[in-house]
Amino acid sequence: MRWFWIDRFTAFESGKFASAIKNISLSDEALDDYMPGRPNHPYALIIEGMAQTAGLLVAEVNHFTDRVVLAKVGKAIFHRPVLNGDQLKFYATIESRRDDGAVITGTTHIGDQLQGEIELTFAFLGEQFGNRPLFPNNDLLGMLLTLGMYDVGRDPNGQPLKIPERLLQPDNLTKTK
Amino acid sequence: MAPSSDEVFSKVQKALVDALGVDDDEVTPEARMMADLGAESIDFLDIIFKLEKAFSISIDRAELFPEDVLTSATYVKDGKVTPDGVAELKKRMPWADLAKFEANPNVQSFGDLLTVNDLCRYIQSKLVG
């Protein structure tokens, strides 16, 4: 199973804000597995979708050199189930960022309806956890391109977001658009 | 003007209630962060974020929890912090009451010492400084 819980970024402002969508399909295994007979998208996977949206937003600030991991779910409130046929929208804003971590607040929506409110704390792994990157460069770049980050991304000056040079090394680039 | 002790306590209490999911009345000045309120190491990051926002200050995590001293081969021998290590901790944490720790400087017990009152004194030292 692909561990993608968002389909595509719809906006990405470096260091500030990101939005993404996920289309919920009855063909998603998770829908049936979670509550047989009453298919709905598990709330835990909505948190994961927010973690992916916000985690990439946080990691992009230093060109993906920080090893960002989800450390804590400070808040997760859900107002309605997410059903097959829904399009779930994620909105994530960086509230605070330090050398050792970041806090984001996020909301999820279906149409005009507020579906969820989520607050996450991310930690940046220090040297005591070794120095291996969390993802090989080519996997990471492939994921960012697939999610359309560079199609919609803007840098702090409002210019199109550029792929970090280190991810473009020839031996690391396996996927192009 | 620096906030009063009561104002500092009130904001610290709110940060801890939000970060740790404890009740207001559990967050007393004497409550120990880890032993009584159940704070884990990752909670300190969350608590620091909340305190920085509440007081508009910048907090160095190493000031609140000096992991480098507690894991140093220079300052720790046989699971206990050496007299030099204790002196370093006192220098780094003048706002904390380390008398009990000094009597039995077991590294494992360090985390249980920090109280809400210590945290309030730390915040006040930052606001004055």
Side-chain angles (χ1 to χ4, degrees):
Chain A
M1 179 189 283
R2 287 167 179 265
W3 195 251
F4 287 133
W5 296 105
I6 53 175
D7 288 337
R8 186 196 303 161
F9 281 105
T10 50
F12 195 98
E13 296 174 37
S14 179
K16 291 183 181 172
F17 168 81
S19 63
I21 54 171
K22 172 162 178 58
N23 293 313
I24 309 300
S25 169
L26 198 52
S27 65
D28 295 344
E29 279 183 42
L31 261 71
D32 273 341
D33 291 350
Y34 180 51
M35 206 178 281
R38 292 195 61 189
N40 65 90
H41 189 55
Y43 292 157
L45 293 180
I46 297 173
I47 295 173
E48 176 63 24
M50 184 61 76
Q52 293 184 358
T53 305
L56 290 172
L57 175 67
V58 168
E60 189 277 332
V61 173
N62 279 336
H63 305 304
F64 303 98
T65 52
D66 294 323
R67 296 184 298 163
V68 178
V69 295
L70 177 61
K72 183 173 176 178
V73 180
K75 171 180 164 184
I77 297 171
F78 298 104
H79 302 289
R80 56 153 285 185
V82 178
L83 307 174
N84 44 300
D86 285 338
Q87 182 178 77
L88 188 59
K89 298 174 187 169
F90 296 83
Y91 298 92
T93 301
I94 295 179
E95 289 296 324
S96 185
R97 193 181 194 286
R98 300 161 37 94
D99 289 343
D100 53 359
V103 168
I104 70 93
T105 55
T107 54
T108 53
H109 300 255
I110 296 169
D112 295 333
Q113 272 191 306
L114 176 67
Q115 189 275 330
E117 300 168 72
I118 298 171
E119 182 183 302
L120 304 176
T121 300
F122 293 94
F124 304 159
L125 296 182
E127 289 175 357
Q128 68 269 37
F129 297 101
N131 55 14
R132 288 182 57 188
L134 293 181
F135 302 98
N137 277 357
N138 49 9
D139 287 0
L140 176 60
L141 182 56
M143 176 171 67
L144 300 179
L145 293 172
T146 300
L147 294 175
M149 176 186 286
Y150 296 103
D151 296 335
V152 297
R154 290 289 178 269
D155 71 15
N157 299 316
Q159 299 302 309
L161 196 64
K162 291 181 179 165
I163 298 172
E165 199 59 38
R166 70 180 191 84
L167 296 185
L168 283 171
Q169 298 305 312
D171 57 331
N172 290 325
L173 186 60
T174 60
K175 220 171 184 178
T176 56
K177 279 196 145 181
Chain B
M1 195 173 76
S4 68
S5 300
D6 285 349
E7 286 169 330
V8 169
F9 176 78
S10 177
K11 286 185 176 180
V12 168
Q13 185 183 45
K14 182 175 187 319
L16 295 177
V17 166
D18 288 348
L20 302 175
V22 292
D23 292 333
D24 289 14
D25 57 5
E26 291 180 80
V27 187
T28 62
E30 300 76 26
R32 293 168 298 172
M33 299 286 295
M34 296 175 93
D36 297 326
L37 301 180
E40 297 179 10
S41 61
I42 206 65
D43 291 315
F44 280 94
L45 186 59
D46 190 16
I47 290 166
I48 286 170
F49 278 120
K50 287 180 165 49
L51 293 176
E52 284 186 330
K53 191 173 180 184
F55 293 100
S56 300
I57 56 174
S58 178
I59 296 174
D60 182 347
R61 194 175 174 187
E63 288 178 353
L64 268 183
F65 198 81
E67 286 171 292
D68 57 325
V69 174
L70 298 172
T71 56
S72 160
T74 307
Y75 291 134
V76 177
K77 303 284 183 202
D78 300 325
K80 288 183 184 289
V81 180
T82 63
D84 283 351
V86 172
E88 179 64 21
L89 290 173
K90 282 183 171 177
K91 191 171 131 192
R92 294 253 201 111
M93 309 170 74
W95 41 270
D97 180 2
L98 297 177
K100 277 186 190 169
F101 181 72
E102 195 170 6
N104 182 22
N106 194 326
V107 172
Q108 296 291 335
S109 63
F110 183 86
D112 280 345
L113 291 178
L114 189 67
T115 65
V116 174
N117 213 18
D118 289 333
L119 201 54
C120 291
R121 278 200 294 264
Y122 170 74
I123 295 293
Q124 279 168 324
S125 75
K126 298 288 286 186
L127 293 172
V128 171

